[in-house]
Amino acid sequence: MSTAAGLTLRTAEPLSREAFAPFGDVIQAEGAARHYTINGGNTERFHDLAAVEPGADGRAIVSIFRGQPRALPFRVEMMERHPLASQAFMPLSGRPYLVVVAPPGAAPTAADLRVFIASAEQGVNYAPGVWHHPLLALDAVCDFLVVDRAGPGHNCDEVELPEALLIDLPR
């Protein structure tokens, strides 16, 4: 990480269950804690990969989000959070994407942000209240299966960062 003229530069790090644990769950078959064979031996089930939390009076819904590609390096100037429930993203287009997160609590600054590069086989489940940047597809239009909350109450806060974060991929 380096800082110059009011702009922080950070390189994306590989997404792993351990590194992402403070922010939620990595959804990935490889390395799953529980998996077993079902359907007469024709299917392997990777079980309970994310703690989907619809919150009080909410219900879990499934949607598809279609993300437009972002050019790198990319300036992160805002973040959002969902205080009432979790939000899970699973890529459907076979492409890597970026994940930018900060811990729950007060509005983040550029110094609070972590940047991950997720493989095409990795999804993420943001825990309730975790700050994150909206969908960051790379290179091409990408679809994501999204499991999040429908129900009463305000469930999306957005903040502008006091200083932008410039992110890029490792070289």
Side-chain angles (χ1 to χ4, degrees), residues 46-72:
F46 298 89
H47 186 72
D48 198 14
L49 298 176
V52 174
E53 300 177 35
D57 299 322
R59 64 183 181 86
I61 60 171
V62 177
S63 306
I64 292 179
F65 288 14
R66 181 162 290 150
Q68 301 300 309
R70 309 292 183 119
L72 292 176

Side-chain angles (χ1 to χ4, degrees), residues 2-116:
S2 61
T3 304
L7 185 68
T8 300
L9 174 63
R10 186 156 307 129
T11 303
E13 61 185 284
L15 181 66
S16 69
R17 283 185 173 93
E18 298 76 25
F20 195 73
F23 311 106
D25 307 300
V26 172
I27 303 169
Q28 178 178 8
E30 182 181 325
R34 293 177 53 202
H35 70 278
Y36 46 90
T37 304
I38 61 172
N39 297 334
N42 291 310
T43 304
E44 196 169 354
R45 178 178 177 143
F46 298 89
H47 186 72
D48 198 14
L49 298 176
V52 174
E53 300 177 35
D57 299 322
R59 64 183 181 86
I61 60 171
V62 177
S63 306
I64 292 179
F65 288 14
R66 181 162 290 150
Q68 301 300 309
R70 309 292 183 119
L72 292 176
F74 179 76
R75 287 176 68 99
V76 175
E77 298 176 315
M78 63 81 66
M79 296 288 282
E80 68 177 30
R81 68 176 173 186
H82 305 285
L84 302 180
S86 62
Q87 188 178 44
F89 288 80
M90 192 67 202
L92 299 175
S93 299
R95 298 187 160 294
Y97 61 102
L98 289 175
V99 175
V100 180
V101 290
T109 67
D112 299 321
L113 305 184
R114 296 271 308 264
V115 181
F116 297 98

